[in-house]
Each structure stands twice: as C-alpha cells, then as structure tokens.
Amino acid sequence: METVNNKLKKRYVLVVEDEEDIVRLITFHLEKEGYLVEGAGSGREALEIVSEKTPDLVILDIMLPEMDGLEVCRRLRGNSQTASIPILILSARKEEFDRVLGLELGADDYMVKPFSVRELVARVRAMLRRLEQRIDPDLAAKDNANAAEKIIRSNDIILYPERHQVTVRGEERSLTHKEFVLLELLMENAGKVLTRDILLDKVWGYEVEVDTRTVDVHVRYLRQKIEADPARPFYIETVRGVGYRFVKT
Ligand code: CA
C-alpha cells in the first residue's frame, strides 16, 4: 500500500534544454531524489509534451532552438491548464538581462549557468514543497505546526538552512550555493572572527584553484546582496589581516 502511495506521489519534472549533457546531469540527480524526469530538446517539443501530460515543475533553459525559453514561459503562463506550473529558469551568465524578463513573465526561480547541481536539486525540492502547500492547506498548517524548522536570524536577515533561502528585510535574496554556505557559516559564528583559511576550508573544501582571495570576492558579492550599504557593511565586518566577523546582534 505504501508503495502505491509513493508512486502516486512521484513528482514529474520536465527539463527543457538543448544541451544533452546538462539534461543527463540534471536527470541523474533528480531521479536519485525520486522524481520522474523527462527531457525536451526544444521549446516546441516541450509544449507538445506538456499538452499531453502536465508536469509538476518545469526547468527551462533560455537559449533553445526555434523557440526560446522566454516564449515557452509566456505560453505556459498564458494557458489556464499550465499557468500555475512552477518554472525554474536556467540561463548563461551573459544573458543576465533575461532575469528580470523571466521573472516578469512569471518564472518562479532563476539560476545562472554554470550552476551547482546540489543547489538546483535543493531549489526544485523547495519549489515542489511550496506547491504541495498550495494544494493541501492542511499540509501547510501541519508544516507550520512543525515549526521546528531551523532558522538563523540576525536583525533583518533570516536564513532558512533547509529551504536554502535567505530573506533580507522580508525580501528573498538569490544567493549562489557558495554564498549561502558562507553566510550560514558566518551567521552561525556571529561575533567570532573566522580566518580566510577556515572559511576557505569549510566552504570550498577540497576544490582546487581557489585561494584566499576567493573568500574576499565572495564576501564582496554577499555584501552586495545583504548589506543596505555594501561600502559600509553592518553585518560582515572585515578584521584586517585576519578574516571576517558577522555582527553579533
Ligand atoms: Ca541552451
């Protein structure tokens, strides 16, 4: 009986992407999470598939042959059958401009290539969870009751480790995986100085080709996303010659 329930619950994700390697990579990792995954190599193919079987979530590349991802997004949103399917847009860094447009067209989330698959899986999980809560208010209530969800808070910043989300003054900020881990580490150790070496070790671990300047660069990005005035940071303080300290509030 349980198996039947699990089967019914299996979520169906459509990956619209013309680069087969990326489709394979995403498929592998989402299937490992228990999702049903299908790939579409063009916008047209995606719309055909969707007209036959409605996905629970669409991962949508922008640069596609024939019809681009923004047009696919527009059409999905324009059809009442598909208007509420969560859409996660993927795009190369140089198409940064598309971000605003994508979100205006109603995409729910946005990731820049090259992306971390772990982060992608976390975002997909979070999006489907929100969807389940939308469908089943009881589940949402139960979820709230189980408010044992860990949060880390400092003044205006709330970090939700499980959901991989950060809000600043009530607004969600889009952080890369590394920025997220870095912020989590700093916040967990608020008031303590963390050296660049420690940060490098904990956030980047065994990755090659990174040095302590990588830490500085990421701190700079992070400040731009969380500080009211990145030039005069309130939250992340530089401790000269040593490292960084998150303000204790
Ligand atoms: Ca592409």
Side-chain angles (χ1 to χ4, degrees):
M1 191 62 200
E2 232 175 77
T3 349
V4 175
N5 276 335
N6 281 343
K7 268 209 180 105
L8 284 175
K9 276 192 156 174
K10 213 164 186 182
R11 293 292 181 182
Y12 168 47
V13 178
L14 179 65
V15 182
V16 191
E17 164 68 82
D18 56 325
E19 284 167 73
E20 282 175 23
D21 286 351
I22 297 185
V23 176
R24 263 199 296 274
L25 180 77
I26 295 177
T27 304
F28 175 78
H29 286 273
L30 288 180
E31 280 180 350
K32 224 167 61 181
E33 287 286 308
Y35 299 117
L36 253 167
V37 188
E38 192 167 356
S42 73
R44 222 163 276 286
E45 192 188 342
L47 292 176
E48 267 165 36
I49 292 173
V50 169
S51 70
E52 276 167 22
K53 188 178 177 212
T54 312
D56 294 299
L57 184 139
V58 176
I59 296 175
L60 184 59
D61 182 34
I62 298 271
M63 296 291 281
L64 292 165
E66 294 167 61
M67 182 193 298
D68 72 15
L70 294 175
E71 181 58 27
V72 175
C73 186
R74 197 177 285 128
R75 294 204 188 184
L76 290 176
R77 286 294 177 254
N79 177 337
S80 61
Q81 293 286 314
T82 57
S84 61
I85 302 174
I87 298 176
L88 169 64
I89 281 187
L90 291 181
S91 171
R93 198 170 294 275
K94 58 180 185 297
E95 301 146 27
E96 198 77 55
F97 171 71
D98 292 331
R99 179 195 163 91
V100 177
L101 192 54
L103 294 177
E104 268 174 12
L105 285 176
D108 299 84
D109 206 351
Y110 180 95
M111 284 185 80
V112 173
K113 289 181 193 172
F115 55 86
S116 130
V117 181
R118 251 180 73 190
E119 187 182 349
L120 179 104
V121 171
R123 299 246 190 134
V124 165
R125 210 188 291 131
M127 288 168 82
L128 286 172
R129 192 183 164 88
R130 283 199 289 270
L131 177 78
E132 267 154 30
Q133 293 181 343
R134 217 156 67 197
I135 293 168
D136 182 357
D138 281 351
L139 188 72
K142 217 169 15 183
D143 233 59
N144 279 335
N146 287 348
E149 183 185 6
K150 182 185 164 196
I151 66 163
I152 307 176
R153 183 177 199 143
S154 174
N155 274 17
D156 291 341
I157 302 181
I158 306 177
L159 186 136
Y160 304 86
E162 288 158 36
R163 282 190 255 163
H164 216 275
Q165 279 180 333
V166 176
T167 60
V168 180
R169 289 171 285 279
E171 268 176 42
E172 196 175 335
R173 292 295 147 93
S174 165
L175 264 53
T176 65
H177 181 64
K178 292 280 190 270
E179 287 163 2
F180 187 90
V181 176
L182 182 62
L183 181 61
E184 186 178 6
L185 194 63
L186 284 165
M187 288 181 82
E188 273 178 339
N189 292 285
K192 288 185 217 155
V193 186
L194 298 179
T195 65
R196 287 180 175 79
D197 283 333
I198 284 180
L199 291 170
L200 200 58
D201 182 51
K202 300 245 186 213
V203 179
W204 282 268
Y206 301 103
E207 281 175 44
V208 284
E209 287 178 48
V210 289
D211 58 36
T212 48
R213 269 171 308 178
T214 308
V215 177
D216 301 333
V217 171
H218 278 76
V219 166
R220 198 166 72 227
Y221 290 154
L222 205 47
R223 279 175 174 155
Q224 281 162 9
K225 293 180 181 181
I226 63 166
E227 298 281 2
D229 179 0
R232 283 186 206 79
F234 168 78
Y235 288 107
I236 305 175
E237 182 194 350
T238 303
V239 182
R240 286 197 131 222
V242 186
Y244 295 97
R245 174 169 50 210
F246 197 91
V247 68
K248 183 137 187 115
T249 53

